[in-house]
Amino acid sequence: MPVTPDEHWSARCRDALTAYSEPLLRAVAARLVKPRVNQPADELIEKSVGVFANPPVIDRRLRDLPEPARKLFALVGLSRQHRWKVGHLITLLSAVGHHEGFAPVADALGAGLLFPELPPGHPPLADFAAWLATGGGMSAEVFAHPAVSSRARAEDLGLPDLGDAAHEPPGQVRTADGLDWVLRLAAVWQQVLAGPVRFTQANTLFKKDLTRLQADEMLAAPSADVPVHVADAGVLSLLWAVAAGLLADDAGELKAVAFPATWDGTLAATLADLFPALLRVEAWDPLAGYTVYDAALSPAPTAGLLTLLLLAKRAQVAPDAPWVPGAAIAEWLWTNHPSWAALIPPDSAKDKGAAWVHAYLVGVAFPLQLVEFAGDLFRLSPLGRHLLTGDREPPAPPAFQQTLLVQPNAEILAYRQGLTPALVGTLSRIAKWNGLGPACTLELTPEQTYRGLESGMTLPMIVQALTRHSSRPVPAAVADLLHRWASKRERITVFASAVLVEFTTPAELDAAVNRGIVAIRLTDRIGITADGTEPALAQLRLIANRDYESKPQRCVTVADDGVTLTVDAAIADLLLDVELGRFAVPLPVEPNAPRRFRLVPELLRKTAQNNPLADIDGWFIDRTGHPLSSAGRLFLLGPQVPPPTAERLLVVRFPSTDVADGVMQWPETRPLVAERLGPTTVVVDEENLAALQTVLAGIGVTLPG
């Protein structure tokens, strides 16, 4: 059975308590469960975790806390984000008038209602203050069980009412369909599925991935619903998708995972899940875009939450006139948020952050369907009131099942009024997003079909999904394309691991198949067992084994003729035949002789069409220790060089180097020599031979005719 959210958080609380030293555990349990006798540590842990299923006890423990600690839980509960950095909680408390620093956090930890985030294998925790000093300071993280924080939402935070009855919207009230960020997160999920995104050791995006996200026209394109430019919308989508559980960090590499269960529900449920995830996004600013905060904490999570809570305060005080000017929110943050003035972009400081507030509310909160606006006036939407003031959940919009139009060219039009998170998730698995406008565009491709099949869908499921939501029958040509793509994939067998056996000759492979050692022929000399398991290697005489993660071995020798390649079977690997096939053809196999290949001009030139000479040289250096031979270069470059010349010349060989040097230096004889071939040898045109004989005879050197 799937684990419920409460069971998940109870298990996390149990793990945290287990990591406490026994004195600390007993001190925490004494305040949380108030045991009357000295009980074993295991029983104290189970009784402490049991408190989270007992609302009356939770209420009593919350009432026992000082006011700042109660407000801490109220802020956590209203944010619906159960994990916070300590520094953010201190910032939020300071903004609402409590400047006690770490003390409220320590009170909540000591009461057993707040827990530190501890890495696996952490030594027993003996003191919360010492943990904070060594566990990351203000960046250390804590979490609260939802059963606790949800009971504290009614606590009065003391926020002011920034509205004014005189403020009424001057024009049309803007509302959003709530799909903009759902679509952008699905699109970035699909892109990471096609190619993982990596982080540096400093947990920042590599330049290549950052540029790719910033330059992505689809993710950066303005939405018809959003009248402002969202800075680095692609980066925000990526970071938000990580926080929302659509992407998982695997050793610094982001990979796409299954869509969360909330995406199978209503749009409101999905947006309610994305709202707390937004508060986990740190390296992004509404005005500056992707921003890495080295020492300080990002102001976006705390300022964003406080902005929405100020709107919630107005909605509770004056539900008939809930409008609040964005400038009033910025003024309050400028005065009360401890790091607001220092961390917002300098240009926004001129208006005390009013541009920041406007960009956050219009660019992020509005398309998330948390707020509505008219000009510079803002109010919570029905969904925002549900999440932040406890109003009932708004009714779901009318459903339009037939919202797709599948075209014969395999493109799909998806009209937004009929899209749901579940349908967006399904489309993301089977079709490539090309545009996210009022009518979204997608494309059916072989690669995306393969990914849909790999995700667990079948061809009938893909066709059924398109048919159910299409206003017209799926064109026969498209159904045929999907069938052909799916059938190609179904002809591929995937083994999680396998041992490939390479035989010296095809006859040896035939013998191994007949004896049942291998069952599948991959090539004429390579075989594998039917299920990919290790074959009976004891029945074979093994020459060597290969490690394909290591550098390619030098296993080829080039003969003096420059075209004959001899393979050392003891160190060759299974990839060598494929690689050699780009340049050479095998020569007939001789008994008890190594395998040989011969370079072929046509193959070399064909390979050079897609590979520069430097890459070909690199392969020869890796495999032979030397660049491509001179004969190979002749094959490759011959058609590109000017044609050679053929001339009739006479070769003259002098008795010594001194004589040849003199002939080449003396102005009388130098013009008569065509070219020097060696230390004592030159070539002479036939027509110059008589003149050379005459000049040399004048100095006593006889040159026979």
Side-chain angles (χ1 to χ4, degrees):
M1 293 180 62
V3 177
T4 65
D6 280 350
E7 290 173 339
H8 166 77
W9 287 105
S10 294
R12 295 194 61 180
C13 295
R14 182 181 293 105
D15 292 341
L17 290 168
T18 303
Y20 290 0
S21 66
E22 186 167 339
L24 181 61
L25 172 64
R26 293 190 178 278
V28 169
R31 295 180 60 185
L32 183 60
V33 299
K34 301 184 184 298
R36 297 181 180 179
V37 294
N38 190 17
Q39 297 175 330
D42 291 345
E43 291 185 16
L44 288 177
I45 292 174
E46 293 307 316
K47 285 190 174 183
S48 298
V49 174
V51 167
F52 303 124
N54 193 333
V57 174
I58 294 175
D59 291 342
R60 289 198 294 270
R61 298 298 175 263
L62 287 171
R63 285 196 299 269
D64 292 341
L65 291 173
E67 180 185 357
R70 293 199 304 272
K71 288 188 177 182
L72 180 151
F73 284 109
L75 289 162
V76 173
L78 290 167
S79 73
R80 297 176 181 263
Q81 174 54 254
H82 311 299
R83 295 171 55 205
W84 280 92
K85 289 184 176 180
V86 170
H88 285 324
L89 291 177
I90 293 176
T91 296
L92 290 169
L93 288 172
S94 178
V96 297
H98 293 281
H99 310 287
E100 295 86 352
F102 181 61
V105 178
D107 289 336
L109 290 167
L113 300 177
L114 192 69
F115 298 92
E117 284 277 7
L118 301 174
H122 192 280
L125 183 62
D127 181 79
F128 294 124
W131 161 75
L132 180 67
T134 59
M138 295 294 101
S139 294
E141 293 195 338
V142 292
F143 68 90
H145 196 292
V148 175
S149 55
S150 63
R151 305 292 297 182
R153 289 176 186 161
E155 181 76 22
D156 184 14
L157 295 175
L159 291 172
D161 173 18
L162 300 181
D164 187 336
H167 283 122
E168 290 299 329
Q172 181 184 5
V173 176
R174 300 287 295 266
T175 59
D177 63 8
L179 285 168
D180 196 69
W181 287 115
V182 171
L183 290 167
R184 291 178 191 266
L185 266 62
V188 83
W189 175 90
Q190 186 178 86
Q191 293 189 10
V192 174
L193 181 67
V197 173
R198 294 171 178 82
F199 285 106
T200 66
Q201 291 184 347
N203 202 34
T204 60
L205 287 167
F206 276 100
K207 182 67 175 177
K208 177 187 69 174
D209 292 319
L210 176 60
T211 303
R212 164 184 155 196
L213 290 166
Q214 291 174 330
D216 190 290
E217 295 182 358
M218 180 177 61
L219 292 175
S223 168
D225 271 352
V226 183
V228 299
H229 170 71
V230 180
D232 287 343
V235 179
L236 173 58
S237 301
L238 179 85
L239 301 178
W240 201 342
V242 175
L246 278 73
L247 305 175
D249 189 345
D250 182 9
E253 181 177 274
L254 289 184
K255 295 183 178 179
V257 297
F259 282 87
T262 52
W263 284 60
D264 294 329
T266 64
L267 176 60
T270 303
L271 298 179
D273 193 48
L274 294 181
F275 161 55
L278 173 64
L279 302 177
R280 295 283 300 171
V281 175
E282 296 270 351
W284 179 83
D285 181 89
L287 295 178
Y290 181 60
T291 305
V292 178
Y293 296 89
D294 295 327
L297 295 178
S298 166
T302 52
L305 176 60
L306 290 168
T307 296
L308 295 171
L309 292 178
L310 289 167
L311 293 177
K313 179 68 174 183
R314 179 60 181 175
Q316 291 171 316
V317 172
D320 295 332
W323 297 96
V324 178
I329 297 174
E331 179 74 32
W332 185 89
L333 289 172
W334 183 268
T335 304
N336 295 277
H337 191 289
S339 57
W340 173 256
L343 294 180
I344 60 174
D347 290 344
S348 186
K350 300 174 183 177
D351 58 8
K352 298 186 177 180
W356 193 102
V357 171
H358 191 272
Y360 183 86
L361 288 176
V362 178
V364 183
F366 168 68
L368 195 61
Q369 217 176 59
L370 295 178
V371 302
E372 298 169 344
F373 75 97
D376 189 44
L377 296 179
F378 298 90
R379 70 179 180 188
L380 291 183
S381 67
L383 177 62
R385 293 196 300 273
H386 166 64
L387 296 177
L388 293 161
T389 68
D391 279 8
R392 61 184 177 84
E393 183 176 338
F400 297 94
Q401 280 282 91
Q402 284 70 42
T403 191
L404 305 180
L405 178 60
V406 183
Q407 303 184 86
N409 62 354
E411 292 185 352
I412 301 174
L413 285 177
Y415 298 100
R416 287 173 68 136
Q417 61 265 33
L419 289 177
T420 64
L423 180 55
V424 169
T426 299
L427 292 174
S428 300
R429 295 163 66 186
I430 64 176
K432 181 178 180 293
W433 291 100
N434 286 335
L436 305 179
C440 302
T441 57
L442 303 96
E443 180 184 2
L444 295 167
T445 65
E447 296 78 13
Q448 203 59 42
T449 301
Y450 301 153
R451 295 188 186 109
L453 295 170
E454 290 167 0
S455 71
M457 299 185 73
T458 62
L459 176 61
M461 292 169 63
I462 294 174
V463 176
Q464 183 183 19
L466 295 174
T467 303
R468 185 190 315 124
H469 296 285
S470 181
S471 58
R472 300 176 186 174
V474 175
V478 174
D480 181 61
L481 273 177
L482 292 172
H483 177 76
R484 280 192 284 146
W485 294 337
S487 63
K488 286 182 180 179
R489 179 189 179 273
E490 289 169 357
R491 291 199 295 267
I492 299 173
T493 302
V494 179
F495 298 107
S497 61
V499 175
L500 278 66
V501 182
E502 179 186 12
F503 297 87
T504 305
T505 64
E508 292 183 2
L509 174 57
D510 292 339
V513 172
N514 294 334
R515 294 164 57 194
I517 300 174
V518 297
I520 301 174
R521 303 170 188 266
L522 298 182
T523 70
D524 62 337
R525 296 187 304 102
I526 300 173
I528 187 175
T529 57
D531 57 359
T533 58
E534 182 175 300
L537 299 179
Q539 302 181 40
L540 301 172
R541 183 173 63 86
L542 300 181
I543 298 176
N545 56 15
R546 320 286 181 227
D547 179 6
Y548 288 96
E549 294 182 351
S550 62
K551 185 179 179 181
Q553 296 290 316
R554 291 182 180 177
C555 53
V556 179
T557 302
V558 182
D560 292 340
D561 60 11
V563 295
T564 303
L565 310 178
T566 303
V567 175
D568 186 344
I571 56 176
D573 54 65
L574 302 182
L575 301 177
L576 183 65
D577 281 17
V578 177
E579 296 172 354
L580 276 172
R582 299 185 299 160
F583 317 112
V585 295
L587 295 176
V589 178
E590 300 177 3
N592 301 320
R595 291 188 299 127
R596 297 184 304 157
F597 292 75
R598 184 176 296 277
L599 292 179
V600 177
E602 293 78 9
L603 290 178
L604 265 172
R605 288 196 286 269
K606 183 177 180 181
T607 301
Q609 291 176 359
N610 299 316
N611 299 273
L613 179 58
D615 289 351
I616 297 175
D617 274 339
W619 184 90
F620 274 88
I621 290 172
D622 287 340
R623 292 300 196 174
T624 71
H626 304 282
L628 179 64
S629 65
S630 298
R633 276 176 152 69
L634 175 63
F635 294 161
L636 195 59
L637 303 176
Q640 305 173 19
V641 300
T645 58
E647 302 175 86
R648 294 180 60 85
L649 299 172
L650 297 175
V651 176
V652 177
R653 191 185 306 278
F654 294 104
S656 68
T657 302
D658 291 339
V659 174
D661 289 343
V663 169
M664 294 301 297
Q665 186 178 20
W666 188 24
E668 297 292 330
T669 54
R670 177 66 187 88
L672 302 175
V673 176
E675 187 178 355
R676 187 169 185 172
L677 298 181
T680 61
T681 307
V682 299
V683 291
V684 180
D685 290 339
E686 286 185 298
E687 59 190 35
N688 291 333
L689 179 62
L692 181 62
Q693 289 174 323
T694 302
V695 174
L696 291 177
I699 58 173
V701 177
T702 302
L703 178 62

